[in-house]
């Protein structure tokens, strides 16, 4: 005995041209198989139809490469149990980004936003012999920030990102911006805040919270964005 | 006409509008709720009591504050909506000019009403 | 036409840019335009409840702005004379008009409730997944309860 699952998957082949279409698949799951993740099922489908394209690498939620829109909601295929999603399992690429092929999107826009927040430590003091020290309390400030795997699930679920991807930084980049603003070793607070303060980069965020709702690592970009706004308020008094 | 803006340097702008939107929201919420509840509990029955209530000293001031806050709130809010959706600059110019003029007319109208032109 | 605005642009230039809502465009970060499809079908993307409430907040906000002239008009008419007061009362008494009035009041209350939720989120209150979902539902429940209470008051 075995069970069958139905899939409906977004297909686009740039070489064939034409419009993207949805393709149905049926997958036989033998009884007694171990608990399957959606990524396992995708692998089994690829064995049936090797033209099916998707990204994956770590298969355990740390590389951030298999973000996709699963039954209308962004998530990582590798840590989404197949059991938790209803038939037909409808898979589409992350919303709002150009589709290269099937479930693979062009993340250039997303990485440009990330780059725009200068995601590195800026410290003008001479480098110490060993390392720049932090107290445990200072280090705690980075929890919930450094864990981001840049999967793009949050930004591509954010309406403000959909409408203004070229000017609004999006939740992932803003979370990283706060990650460096909150770092006791970083000395570029004023410049970072200057860069954020215009009506687009930060303030296109309307606290919709779609980002925090979908983040597969349970991070909270909205909270980080709130902290940035609070820091801006604090500096004017 | 193609308007192509270019921006250099930090504008230090966005926070002020954001904050004004919140402060005006608090004013609008407090007064709006009071007005709605009062209207529901005791609907005006004749001109005299209605005028006495709405145009009484404290109420006149409160109404003035409410409309000032609401108009600022509405302007920032509509601008925010336009910033999100209206991409062609010429369209944005026309629509935000129309909105601004409309809100300005309402402001003058309310001022005339409250300052006793009627 | 290319405007350049920087920190020392003159006040007139600044005011004009402000009016256009363009004084503030940071340089775009986008990659070169591509001839690739983009998946962005709002009927197929499942919006979290917070997203829905946020859209409602926006819709009711715009509706309120559109209703503003009407409110000022009614206020002025009802205050100007006994005849004006009677006229406004007469306009507002048929039941279809009362239904509209009820909808307007609910528009205001929905915006008020989700607005209060917004303000609390801005104060860092309830900014986690489950509380924000709950508070989003709460604004809807409060609007529904208000509909019942106000409906009874306005229509009865
Ligand atoms: C009753 C008390 C009110 C409260 C608590 C309130 C609260 C808010 C808040 C917090 C926002 C910001 C949302 C954001 O940043 O995305 C907002 C937006 C807005 N409000 Fe209000 N508001 C109130 C009354 C009004 C009134 C009376 C009007 C109309 C005259 C109005 C029109 C708008 C508009 C057009 C927006 C922009 C919508 C958007 O950006 O999504 N509001 N309101
Ligand atoms: S914040 Fe979460 S959803 Fe967003 S990129 Fe990072 S891990 Fe992915
Ligand atoms: S809270 Fe801000 S960043 Fe997050 S989804 Fe909403 S608008 Fe986007
Ligand atoms: S495959 Fe690495 S996060 Fe899913």
């Amino acid at each position: 005995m075995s069970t069958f699952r139905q899939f409906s998957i977004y297909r686009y082949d740039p070489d064939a041209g034409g419009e993207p279409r949805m393709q149905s698949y049926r997958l036989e799951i033998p009884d007694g198989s171990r608990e399957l993740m959606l990524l396992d099922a995708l692998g089994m489908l690829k064995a049936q139809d090797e033209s099916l394209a998707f990204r994956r690498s770590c298969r355990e939620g740390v590389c951030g490469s298999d973000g996709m829109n699963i039954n209308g909601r962004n998530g990582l295929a590798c840590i989404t149990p197949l059991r938790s999603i209803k038939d037909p399992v409808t898979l589409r690429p992350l919303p709002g980004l150009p589709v290269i092929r099937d479930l693979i999107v062009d993340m250039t826009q997303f990485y440009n936003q990330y780059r725009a927040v200068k995601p590195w430590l800026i410290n003008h003091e001479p480098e110490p012999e060993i390392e720049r020290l932090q107290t445990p309390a200072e280090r705690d400030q980075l929890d919930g920030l450094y864990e981001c795997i840049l999967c793009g699930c949050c930004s591509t679920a954010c309406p403000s990102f959909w409408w203004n991807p070229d000017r609004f930084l999006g939740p992932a980049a803003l979370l990283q911006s706060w990650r460096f603003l909150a770092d006791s070793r970083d000395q570029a607070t004023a410049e970072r805040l200057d860069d954020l303060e215009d009506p687009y980069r930060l303030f296109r965020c309307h606290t919709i919270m779609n980002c925090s709702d979908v983040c597969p690592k349970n991070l909270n970009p909205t909270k980080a964005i709130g902290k940035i706004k609070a820091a801006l308020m604090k500096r004017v008094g | 006409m193609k308007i192509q803006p270019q921006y250099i340097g930090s504008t230090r702008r966005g926070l002020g509008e954001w904050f004004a939107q919140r402060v005006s929201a608090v004013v609008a919420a407090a007064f709006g709720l009071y007005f709605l509840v009062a209207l529901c509990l005791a609907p005006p029955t004749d001109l005299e009591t209605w005028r006495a209530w709405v145009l009484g000293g404290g109420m006149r001031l409160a109404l003035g504050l409410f409309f000032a806050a609401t108009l600022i709130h509405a302007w920032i809010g509509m601008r925010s909506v336009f910033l999100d959706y209206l991409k062609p600059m010429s369209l944005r110019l026309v629509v935000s000019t129309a909105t601004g003029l409309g809100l300005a007319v309402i402001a003058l109208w309310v001022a005339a009403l409250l300052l006793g032109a009627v | 036409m290319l405007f350049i605005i920087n920190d020392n642009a003159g006040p007139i230039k600044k005011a004009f840019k402000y009016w256009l809502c363009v004084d503030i465009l940071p340089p775009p970060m986008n990659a070169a335009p591509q001839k690739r499809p983009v998946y962005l079908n709002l009927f197929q993307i499942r919006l979290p409840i917070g997203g829905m409430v946020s859209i409602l907040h926006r819709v009711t906000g715009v509706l309120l702005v559109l209703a503003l002239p009407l409110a000022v008009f009614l206020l002025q008419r009802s205050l100007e004379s006994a005849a004006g007061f009677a006229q406004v009362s007469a306009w507002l008494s048929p039941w279809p008009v009362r239904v509209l009035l009820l909808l307007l009041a609910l528009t205001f209350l929905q915006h008020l409730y989700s607005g209060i939720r917004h303000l609390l989120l801005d104060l860092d209150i309830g900014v986690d997944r489950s509380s924000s979902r709950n508070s989003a539902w709460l604004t809807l429940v409060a609007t529904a309860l208000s509909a019942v209470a106000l409906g009874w008051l306005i229509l009865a």
Side-chain angles (χ1 to χ4, degrees):
Chain A
M1 276 298 290
S2 46
T3 45
F4 289 90
R5 298 293 310 255
Q6 304 295 329
F7 289 79
S8 174
I9 302 181
Y10 183 102
R11 300 300 310 270
Y12 171 71
D13 177 0
D15 300 327
E19 291 294 304
R21 63 195 168 85
M22 297 302 290
Q23 184 171 343
S24 300
Y25 291 92
R26 199 167 112 105
L27 182 67
E28 180 178 354
I29 296 169
D31 271 357
S33 1
R34 65 181 170 87
E35 157 103 65
L36 290 182
M37 293 293 163
L38 175 59
L39 184 63
D40 300 320
L42 274 170
M44 290 155 83
L45 287 174
K46 194 166 170 78
Q48 269 181 34
D49 171 2
E50 65 175 13
S51 71
L52 180 63
F54 52 92
R55 284 196 186 104
R56 87 269 173 278
S57 174
C58 70
R59 52 112 192 97
E60 55 187 9
V62 294
C63 73
S65 52
D66 61 346
M68 57 185 71
N69 193 256
I70 306 163
N71 282 359
R73 190 182 154 83
N74 292 350
L76 296 173
C78 61
I79 54 171
T80 303
L82 192 54
R83 256 186 317 140
S84 70
I85 32 183
K86 286 203 204 79
D87 265 0
V89 178
T90 306
L91 303 178
R92 294 191 171 88
L94 291 176
L97 291 175
V99 177
I100 295 175
R101 185 185 186 110
D102 298 349
L103 300 175
I104 298 176
V105 290
D106 179 353
M107 307 274 284
T108 310
Q109 183 81 272
F110 179 78
Y111 295 138
N112 281 349
Q113 294 169 332
Y114 178 54
R115 203 167 286 132
V117 303
K118 304 200 173 89
W120 56 81
L121 206 62
I122 299 176
N123 187 314
H124 306 295
E125 257 131 59
E127 239 167 90
E129 283 287 314
I130 308 191
E131 60 194 312
R132 298 189 198 277
L133 293 176
Q134 278 188 308
T135 64
E138 285 167 344
R139 171 60 189 75
D140 286 349
Q141 300 300 308
L142 309 182
D143 284 346
L145 305 171
Y146 79 92
E147 299 93 329
C148 172
I149 57 174
L150 294 176
C151 63
C153 287
C154 56
S155 290
T156 59
C158 168
S160 294
F161 171 89
W162 296 337
W163 315 139
N164 286 290
D166 52 344
R167 295 202 157 88
F168 175 53
L169 289 168
L174 288 169
L175 182 95
Q176 286 316 299
S177 178
W178 180 246
R179 181 248 170 275
F180 289 95
L181 282 163
D183 194 314
S184 61
R185 299 161 298 179
D186 191 89
Q187 297 179 329
T189 305
E191 293 88 318
R192 290 183 192 279
L193 289 179
D194 275 348
D195 275 352
L196 290 173
E197 192 178 350
D198 68 47
Y200 276 91
R201 290 181 201 218
L202 169 68
F203 283 103
R204 251 31 260 143
C205 166
H206 303 298
T207 332
I208 304 168
M209 288 196 76
N210 285 7
C211 52
S212 310
D213 207 279
V214 300
C215 174
K217 304 295 281 184
N218 287 320
L219 307 181
N220 194 335
T222 312
K223 200 168 185 80
I225 292 168
K227 295 218 167 119
I228 298 178
K229 286 175 182 164
L232 282 168
M233 285 301 293
K234 209 165 138 202
R235 92 170 165 169
V236 289
Chain B
M1 179 173 78
K2 188 164 163 43
I3 302 166
Q4 200 189 348
Q6 189 174 340
Y7 153 76
I8 299 168
S10 173
T11 54
R12 288 288 185 107
R13 255 270 281 298
L15 183 69
E17 286 175 29
W18 178 83
F19 190 62
Q21 179 88 332
R22 319 288 130 169
V23 173
S24 58
V26 173
V27 175
F31 181 86
L33 209 56
Y34 162 71
F35 196 73
L36 196 70
V37 170
L39 263 189
C40 285
L41 290 185
T45 47
D46 61 279
L47 181 68
E48 298 321 308
T49 44
W50 176 233
R51 277 185 76 102
W53 182 49
V54 171
L55 298 177
M59 191 62 175
R60 217 185 266 247
L61 188 69
L63 262 176
L65 264 178
F66 168 74
F67 275 108
T70 301
L71 287 164
I72 291 171
H73 185 87
W75 168 243
I76 300 174
M78 292 307 281
R79 245 175 75 88
S80 182
V81 175
F82 301 155
L83 244 67
D84 278 353
Y85 304 133
L86 301 183
K87 297 304 173 62
M89 284 302 151
S90 40
L91 181 65
R92 201 186 269 182
L93 172 68
V94 171
V95 176
S96 53
T97 303
T99 308
L101 285 180
L103 293 177
V105 168
I106 294 177
L108 292 176
W109 194 7
V110 172
L113 183 71
L114 293 180
L115 296 178
V118 283
Chain C
M1 225 196 309
L2 182 76
F3 292 110
I4 297 202
I5 182 142
N6 52 31
D7 292 339
N8 17 331
I12 294 179
K13 206 166 172 183
K14 273 196 175 145
F16 188 57
K17 298 297 152 40
Y18 175 77
W19 191 250
L20 282 170
C21 311
V22 299
D23 53 340
I24 35 194
L25 290 186
M29 298 169 277
N30 54 337
Q34 308 175 334
K35 276 217 234 65
R36 289 195 164 129
V38 170
Y39 161 57
L40 191 58
N41 184 328
L42 297 188
F43 298 101
Q44 292 168 344
I45 296 169
R46 217 169 67 223
L47 218 52
I49 184 67
M52 305 226 192
V53 168
S54 184
I55 291 183
L56 254 183
H57 183 81
R58 176 155 276 198
V59 170
T60 51
V62 172
L63 286 178
L64 285 174
V65 175
L66 295 177
L68 207 53
L70 184 71
V72 178
F73 172 70
L74 290 179
L75 192 64
Q76 152 167 15
R77 217 2 114 71
S78 68
L79 287 170
E80 95 197 330
S81 64
F85 185 86
Q87 199 179 27
V88 172
S89 310
W91 279 336
L92 298 185
S93 51
W95 71 265
V97 181
R98 298 205 146 224
V99 171
L100 286 180
L101 209 60
L102 173 65
L103 287 178
L104 184 61
L106 287 177
T107 302
F108 177 78
L109 286 175
Q110 194 287 327
H111 191 84
L112 173 78
Y113 298 145
S114 53
I116 292 173
R117 171 174 178 268
H118 250 112
L119 294 175
L120 292 176
L121 291 174
D122 287 333
L123 293 173
D124 204 20
I125 299 171
V127 193
D128 61 83
R129 200 179 287 188
S130 66
S131 343
S132 75
R133 281 185 191 161
N134 291 342
S135 62
W137 279 112
L138 192 64
T139 64
L140 295 181
V141 171
T143 308
L145 289 181
S146 308
V148 175
L150 273 181
W152 179 72
L153 244 162
I154 293 183
L155 299 179

